[in-house]
Structure formats: C-alpha cells, structure tokens
Amino acid sequence: MKTKKWNKELYKRIAVIALPIILQNLLDAAVQSADVLMLNFVGQTAISAVSLASQYGSIIFMCLFGIGTGVSMLGAQYWGKGDTKTIEKVEGLGLRFSLGIAIVAAVSCLLIPGYMMKLYTNDPELIRLGIVYLRIFAPSMILWSICAIYTAILRCIGKVSTSTMIEAIALISNVLLNAVFIFGLFGLPKLGVTGVALATTMSRMIQLVCCLVVSARNKNVKLRIRPIFEKHPALFRDYVSMVLPAIGNDVIWSVGFSMYSVILGHLGNDAVAANSIVSVVRNLGCVLCFGIGNAAGIILGQMLGENKIEEAKKASHTLLRLTIGAGILGGIFVLALTPFVMNYAKLSETALDYLLFMLRVNVYYITGTAVNTILIAGVFRAGGDSKFGFLCDTIDMWIYAVPLGFLAAFALHLPVKVVYFLLCTDEFVKWPWVFKHYYSYKWAKNITRENIDG
C-alpha cells in the first residue's frame, strides 16, 4: 500500500510539473510549424533561408539551455532545501553568463551576417535573405537571454504554470505577428523573411515585459540586476563546475547538429527545404519526451536536495519508462502526420522525395532522442552531473557523426538519403555508455552547501 501511495504521489508530481512544460513545448513547436506554414506561401527559397539562418538561434538557445540547466540544477536543490536567498544568487550567476553570450552573438549577427551564412550555403539568394533575417533577429537574443534564466528559476521554485504562461504569451504573439508581417495584414506591406525576424524580436520583447510583471508580484525570487555583480566564491565554483560542462555539452551537441544542416545545405536547396519541414514535424513528435525530460531534472533535483537519494533513484526509473513510451508515441504521431505533410508541402518533386524518406527515418529516431534527453539532460544533471554528457556528446558528435556525414557527402558522394540516414544513427550509438552511467547511480548526489560564501 505504501509503494502504491508513493507511486500515485509521484505521478501526480510528474503531471503537475510536466504538463505545463509539455504545453510550453507544444506551443513552441506550433510556432515553428506556423512559421513554415506561412513561409510555404512565400516559397521554397524563403523556407530554406530562414531554416539555415535560424541555426544560429538554435545554437544560442542551446547555450541558454545549458546555462539554465546550471540554474535548474542548483535552484531545484536549494528549493528542496528551502533556501530562497541562495536561489536569487544563482539567478544572478545565470544572467551573468547568458547576457555575455547573447551580446557576443547579437553583435556577430549585426556585423558579420554574410560570413555566418556562407558557412551553411554557397547559394547567393539564400545568403542574401539570411543576412536580412540575422540583422533583425539579433536584438532578440539579448532579450531572450534574460527571459530564459528567469523562466528557469520560476520552474525551479514550483511556478511551472507561470513560466509556461509567459512562454505561451510570447509564442502566440510570435504567430500573430508573423501573420501580420508575412501576409501584410492591416494595410502593412508583405515582408516575408524580414517579417519572420521582426516578429521574433517583438515577441521576445513582450516576453521580457511579462517576466518583469511576474517578478514585481513574486515574493520568492525577483528579476534583479544587482545579483549579477555580487561575488559568492563557493557558489560560483559550484555553478561553474556544473554549468561549463552543461553549456559545453549543449553547444557541442547543437553545433554538431547544426553541422548536419551545413552538410545538407551544400547538397542543395531541395535537401535543405525537406530537412526544414522534417525538423518541425520532429519537434512536434518530441513534445512529450522533452516535457518529461525537463520535469525529471526538477523533480529529481528537489528530491536530491531533500537528501531523498533512494527515492530519486526509484523515481528516475519511472520517468525513464514514461519517456520511452512518449518516444514511441511520438514516432507514431510522425507516421500518422506524414500523409498530411506530403499533401501540404509546396516543394519540388525531388524535395518531396527527400521529405518522405526523412519523415520515415524520424519515426524511430525520436525514441533515441527521448532516451538520451531524459538521461543526459534530465536525470544526470539533477545531481549536478553534467560532465558525462559533455564527454559523451563530444565523442558522439565530433568523432563519430559529423566526420561520418562529411565523409559520406563529400568524399564518397553518397546520395542525400544515405547521408541523412547515417547522420540519424548518432542517438543510438551512445546508448550503451549512457545506460551504463545511469545504472552506476554516480549522478545521485546532494550538491547544496550550508555556507555559500566560503
């Protein structure tokens, strides 16, 4: 009876934290779908250009995700301990890192967008449109860097629904503004690619305003400038020891994944356009997986902060099973959606052929992604273990997947479908090491301190 009651409470806890995150992920995926849907009426070239240019946004997102992970790892455990003052100090450290990276990225997009686009493609029209996108998109990175940290803090302190509401307002604003600027509603000119970038920047501004409003009403942790400049040596060491591998892990993975776009980008517009649509469908299929994975980091982090080590281990098994189930459901979703996507996409015949093949590959690929996401980015990081993921993804992406992709595409000149299939073996190659580390339970640790300034 005791076990049954514990399981019931755990599932309730998972639902309370995971469902808002799943909704947030669903909205995020829906916005990406809306972008592609609207750009589909502009043309294949517009879809390809935005897809390539937004790779830089994806890299920044993963940097912010890594920084936010450091905030979550410490924040969730200190929340479990009941120490809200330290959580605000953790927030300051997170903002210091996120703003620094975002400012560098924004300046790069403003000053050298042409060089950035040439990395992905040699098509002059794609480069021209990408330059326009990056220059207007640049300010959104700075706004985003502030919002990402504060919403991570909100999730740590149990305000998951509030965090989701903020994201929802920003994402819905993005869709509405996209429609206005792309289609020229209310008498405005049709801006196409320019409209997508402008809508993104304006929606991030709206998101920041929402964060400030929530902060003004929140009694636990507020969004302040002062903690950014405070010095807490021991806490800083803890944060850096966890966040640098986490950032490194997410950057290594995102840049490596971005290299897939570099490879496909040099294989032609058809491959890029097909991959752009597949990415959106895959993200929709991963909504449940990512939601449970993010919830795992918060739930297990709080348990470990309360010194409930054995309960955290037991809960991790439940979360892993749920994620595998979510991955299978995600694959079924992609399979079911395939006929609709094929009927809707306004692509060339060659691009449609690539699209169908890529969709079929992602039916099983999602499960591989699901398992690695919950274990590396959720379970391991809950106990402050971000170094394993960094080493694992460095080897997987940069010693295996990326070299294999370049070899297949440019040395062996294999067909696009074969290259794509080989790239999509990356998630499964690392399973043996990931599961071995999981069952070692080296990640199950309480990482809080009594004296943060020592």
Side-chain angles (χ1 to χ4, degrees), residues 204-223:
R204 292 301 175 191
M205 175 61 76
I206 293 170
Q207 185 179 16
L208 179 58
V209 171
C210 290
C211 287
L212 293 172
V213 171
V214 170
S215 171
R217 297 180 178 181
N218 187 11
K219 296 180 181 179
N220 291 315
V221 182
K222 294 184 177 294
L223 181 57

Side-chain angles (χ1 to χ4, degrees), residues 131 212 262 415 448:
I131 290 172
L212 293 172
V262 171
T448 62

Side-chain angles (χ1 to χ4, degrees), residues 264-277:
L264 294 173
H266 286 84
L267 293 179
N269 195 334
D270 290 323
V272 174
N275 187 50
S276 303
I277 295 176

Side-chain angles (χ1 to χ4, degrees), residues 103-179:
I103 289 170
V104 171
V107 170
S108 299
C109 287
L110 288 171
L111 298 182
I112 55 169
Y115 292 104
M116 295 167 72
M117 285 301 299
K118 286 178 182 177
L119 176 64
Y120 287 97
T121 182
N122 50 13
D123 187 313
E125 184 61 14
L126 295 183
I127 292 172
R128 184 187 69 80
L129 291 173
I131 290 172
V132 172
Y133 178 90
L134 287 173
R135 282 183 171 154
I136 299 172
F137 174 76
S140 72
M141 296 184 183
I142 297 172
L143 302 171
W144 196 4
S145 69
I146 300 171
C147 300
I149 300 304
Y150 190 62
T151 52
I153 286 290
L154 290 175
R155 288 193 292 271
C156 289
I157 64 174
K159 302 288 185 181
V160 181
S161 297
T162 304
S163 171
T164 300
M165 184 60 68
I166 292 172
E167 290 282 356
I169 291 171
L171 295 172
I172 292 170
S173 298
N174 194 1
V175 172
L176 295 176
L177 290 169
N178 267 333

Side-chain angles (χ1 to χ4, degrees), residues 357-372:
F357 177 80
M358 292 176 180
L359 286 168
R360 288 172 174 170
V361 168
N362 277 275
V363 170
Y364 69 83
Y365 186 68
I366 288 176
T367 302
T369 302
V371 170
N372 291 320

Side-chain angles (χ1 to χ4, degrees), residues 229-298:
F229 304 100
E230 291 179 349
K231 294 183 179 180
H232 306 285
L235 186 64
F236 181 79
R237 287 195 298 271
D238 287 346
Y239 185 79
V240 168
S241 69
M242 289 179 290
V243 80
L244 287 185
I247 294 173
N249 184 184
D250 292 332
V251 171
I252 283 290
W253 183 88
S254 61
V255 173
F257 206 76
S258 183
M259 285 297 104
Y260 297 0
S261 295
V262 171
I263 294 168
L264 294 173
H266 286 84
L267 293 179
N269 195 334
D270 290 323
V272 174
N275 187 50
S276 303
I277 295 176
V278 167
S279 297
V280 171
V281 177
R282 180 174 59 241
N283 288 340
L284 285 169
C286 288
V287 162
L288 280 175
C289 315
F290 291 160
I292 298 171
N294 289 336
I298 297 170

Side-chain angles (χ1 to χ4, degrees), residues 312-358:
K313 292 178 183 178
K314 185 178 176 183
S316 72
H317 294 303
T318 301
L319 287 158
L320 178 57
R321 287 195 296 271
L322 285 173
T323 305
I324 292 173
I328 294 170
L329 287 176
I332 294 172
F333 172 81
V334 171
L335 187 62
L337 201 63
T338 296
F340 299 97
V341 174
M342 294 303 299
N343 287 332
Y344 166 76
K346 295 181 179 180
L347 305 179
S348 68
E349 189 175 329
T350 301
L352 286 172
D353 183 45
Y354 293 158
L355 176 60
L356 179 60
F357 177 80
M358 292 176 180

